[in-house]
Amino acid sequence: MRNYLHIVAAVIFLGAAAYLVCLFVQVERSPETASVCRMEVDDSVEAVGRVQCDAEYITASFETVYFTVSEGQWVSGGKLVALGDASFENLVTAPCAGYFTRTLGADAPENAVGRIVSGGWRFSAKLKNAGEYRVGQRLYLTVFDKYPAYIEKIDNNTVTVRCKTGLDAVLEADKLRVTLSTAELEGLRVPQRALHSDDEGSFVYVLKADKPERTPVEVIFNKNGLCLVKGDGLFENMKVLVG
């Protein structure tokens, strides 16, 4: 009887061990997968730099100048902006159309009393990631509002951005803190280890009916561990193979 119990116990033990081995092998053979999800990303960086506005100086050779327009006011070319020595015989007019400001730049002539700012402005700053940008690339500058702009020049890690709107926000600025951001991107997020590439381009393996299927994709963002792609055969909630 005792031998019989030993045999039964041994059979149960061997059966349990075999089950665990099969389960372990199955887990080992199961591919790692991840769900595809839709995501928006705004790649941005804060920077402190110098502001340069397109402007023409207002000059006057009088002891005193009384302005007839207010700071930041839009004026047309030839408009009266000041009186010299409080006399209507000494008229000071705007050299062109634009925003009026009494703030002078470092290049102002000695008899300058103000500026007419028009046409746009430039922002220049040294950026650690300057190599990630390219001349002509479109982006946004955010001061108080977000303004469309483009990169005009890159020189020794100094990026110069040209902006044609938002002049009224930078009239009195010499140095400014802004946020530079590329266009907001929307795509499908996949793990970086799920992304592959060869001579034909980038692709992922989508799990369909428990079988991997090569699916071409276009990479629209791949930085700091975040990868966004798009493709005709890839949709939200699909499973992709990782590794």
Side-chain angles (χ1 to χ4, degrees):
M1 181 67 178
R2 182 176 298 176
N3 290 336
Y4 175 76
L5 292 176
H6 286 168
I7 293 173
V8 171
V11 170
I12 294 175
F13 174 78
L14 291 174
Y19 173 78
L20 290 175
V21 169
C22 291
L23 182 62
F24 176 77
V25 171
Q26 184 178 2
V27 170
E28 284 293 306
R29 290 180 178 177
S30 297
E32 182 182 351
T33 63
S35 294
V36 176
C37 61
R38 187 166 297 280
M39 186 175 183
E40 292 183 0
V41 62
D42 183 358
D43 186 24
S44 61
V45 60
E46 283 196 351
V48 177
R50 292 195 171 276
V51 174
Q52 180 184 2
C53 296
D54 298 337
E56 290 192 34
Y57 282 102
I58 304 169
T59 58
S61 300
F62 305 108
E63 290 186 8
T64 57
V65 176
Y66 297 89
F67 291 99
T68 59
V69 293
S70 56
E71 184 74 21
Q73 181 178 336
W74 176 269
V75 298
S76 56
K79 179 181 175 62
L80 176 67
V81 294
L83 297 175
D85 296 332
S87 171
F88 281 98
E89 294 181 358
N90 302 324
L91 305 182
V92 181
T93 58
C96 62
Y99 291 100
F100 168 77
T101 178
R102 296 178 63 176
T103 304
L104 304 179
D107 59 341
E110 290 185 4
N111 59 342
V113 295
R115 290 187 300 167
I116 299 296
V117 181
S118 63
W121 55 286
R122 292 174 176 84
F123 174 80
S124 299
K126 279 190 173 293
L127 300 178
K128 292 181 179 179
N129 63 335
E132 298 177 9
Y133 296 97
R134 68 181 186 280
V135 173
Q137 180 179 355
R138 297 190 178 277
L139 41 70
Y140 292 94
L141 282 180
T142 301
V143 185
F144 302 108
D145 293 318
K146 182 180 287 188
Y147 307 111
Y150 65 92
I151 295 179
E152 187 177 62
K153 183 173 66 174
I154 301 175
D155 182 21
N156 194 25
N157 291 332
T158 297
V159 177
T160 300
V161 180
R162 171 79 167 169
C163 186
K164 294 185 177 181
T165 58
L167 270 173
D168 53 333
V170 299
L171 285 179
E172 301 180 48
D174 180 33
K175 279 190 175 182
L176 199 65
R177 178 183 295 274
V178 306
T179 300
L180 287 80
S181 56
T182 57
E184 294 180 354
L185 302 172
E186 181 179 351
L188 298 171
R189 181 177 183 177
V190 298
Q192 284 187 320
R193 292 194 298 122
L195 186 65
H196 308 276
S197 62
D198 57 18
D199 293 340
E200 297 181 9
S202 300
F203 62 93
V204 295
Y205 286 108
V206 175
L207 204 60
K208 293 184 178 180
D210 294 329
K211 293 183 179 180
E213 181 177 302
R214 175 178 170 139
T215 304
V217 295
E218 177 186 347
V219 180
I220 58 177
F221 185 85
N222 191 359
K223 184 179 178 182
N224 298 329
L226 178 61
C227 183
L228 294 185
V229 301
K230 63 179 181 180
D232 294 337
L234 189 66
F235 302 96
E236 194 171 5
N237 297 323
M238 279 185 164
K239 297 287 187 181
V240 293
L241 297 187
V242 179

